[in-house]
Amino acid sequence: MKALGILPARYASTRFPGKPLVEIGGKSMIQRVYEQAQKSTLDGVVVATDDARIFDHVMAFGGTAVMTSPDHQSGTDRCYEALQQVQEPFEVVVNIQGDEPFIQPEQIDKVLACFAQPEAQLATLIKVVQSQEELFNPNSPKVVVGEQGQALYFSRQPIPYLRGVEEQQWLDQHTYFKHIGIYGYRSTVLAEITQLPPSSLEKAESLEQLRWLQNGYRIVTAITEIETIGIDTPADLEKALSYLQNKS
């Protein structure tokens, strides 16, 4: 099973323009993500960007990059265009966020391991919710999983609702999971889901993965205990720099 890691990287972020090129401890963010991905068991890694500055930077540090359309609505769409430009065939694609400079190789490998299950069409990571703040944070989507680890639903609200239990006690009464935004797709499935129109559930929650569930696709999950540090704003960058300093 040949697997390709694709790092979608846009320059024109609304909240943090140019963030793939921001320096973190002497390396750009996109270089850090790229190097972490290379440590996994992926057979190849490529950056998919819409900006020549990012493309040139990746090529300069010895990476591989492809130019993609600036009009894509999601990283999934960008991944599919990038896959079409790669010369060799890959059975599985892993979409690795270009703003996760401390993604761990074992997290990528956990996603890949999901495809040992023949019924796995897509895969992603989940993590046990540890705090009330996480549980009720609408920017941290939650996921309900079935007995075989398949995703049943994603929501910005805490689900399930525990009837008759005070909200402060919900974490004591039930194990909640939050979603970690890394996706794996079988290449054939990636081609199919990029042709689907936005669904009603996706529009309601503003969560792309609900489009796939609503159309009957099976998303297998794997549990990670590693916290990710996504960088969406300059304030997040300060947290990342503190993390790096504490690590060293």
Side-chain angles (χ1 to χ4, degrees), residues 8-225:
R10 292 173 58 248
Y11 190 91
S13 165
T14 305
R15 289 188 287 178
F16 197 170
K19 69 178 179 177
L21 300 180
V22 72
E23 186 176 300
I24 303 174
K27 292 181 181 179
S28 69
M29 178 155 62
I30 195 66
Q31 183 174 354
R32 285 190 173 275
V33 182
Y34 192 96
E35 290 177 353
Q36 289 297 98
Q38 283 190 310
K39 296 174 186 174
S40 72
T41 57
L42 288 165
D43 297 290
V45 181
V46 62
V47 173
T49 187
D50 60 356
D51 191 278
R53 288 164 288 189
I54 296 173
F55 179 91
D56 292 343
H57 173 71
V58 173
M59 300 303 284
F61 71 67
T64 303
V66 294
M67 288 294 294
T68 54
S69 167
D71 300 325
H72 290 307
Q73 296 300 305
S74 71
T76 299
D77 294 331
R78 197 173 303 283
C79 280
Y80 182 53
E81 185 187 350
L83 177 64
Q84 292 175 295
Q85 294 190 48
V86 175
Q87 300 303 313
E88 54 186 309
F90 289 91
E91 297 162 84
V92 169
V93 170
V94 182
N95 176 349
I96 303 162
Q97 302 293 330
D99 57 6
E100 297 269 3
F102 307 114
I103 185 83
Q104 294 301 306
E106 53 264 41
Q107 291 179 297
I108 298 169
D109 289 341
K110 272 183 176 282
V111 172
L112 289 174
C114 291
F115 292 99
Q117 304 176 42
E119 68 274 15
Q121 296 174 296
L122 303 111
T124 195
L125 293 182
I126 60 176
K127 185 178 183 293
V128 173
V129 173
Q130 304 286 354
S131 69
Q132 291 284 116
E133 182 183 0
E134 270 185 345
L135 184 61
F136 292 96
N137 179 1
N139 295 318
S140 178
K142 270 61 68 174
V143 56
V144 173
V145 297
E147 293 298 329
Q148 281 76 49
Q150 76 278 20
L152 300 178
Y153 191 75
F154 296 83
S155 180
R156 295 185 181 279
Q157 291 286 350
I159 50 174
Y161 176 88
L162 296 192
R163 185 180 177 188
V165 180
E166 293 288 334
E167 288 184 352
Q168 293 80 1
Q169 299 176 344
W170 281 12
L171 288 180
D172 299 325
Q173 302 292 323
H174 182 80
T175 300
Y176 286 87
F177 292 101
K178 68 175 181 177
H179 181 221
I180 304 296
I182 178 173
Y183 294 111
Y185 329 83
R186 294 196 188 275
S187 297
T188 52
V189 172
L190 178 59
E192 293 170 4
I193 62 176
T194 51
Q195 304 308 308
L196 297 172
S199 72
S200 58
L201 293 176
E202 174 190 8
K203 290 176 182 177
E205 297 254 20
S206 191
L207 294 173
E208 178 191 18
Q209 60 270 36
L210 291 175
R211 184 191 314 185
W212 314 332
L213 285 182
Q214 197 167 356
N215 280 278
Y217 287 91
R218 185 181 179 90
I219 306 174
V220 173
T221 69
I223 298 174
T224 178
E225 296 178 357

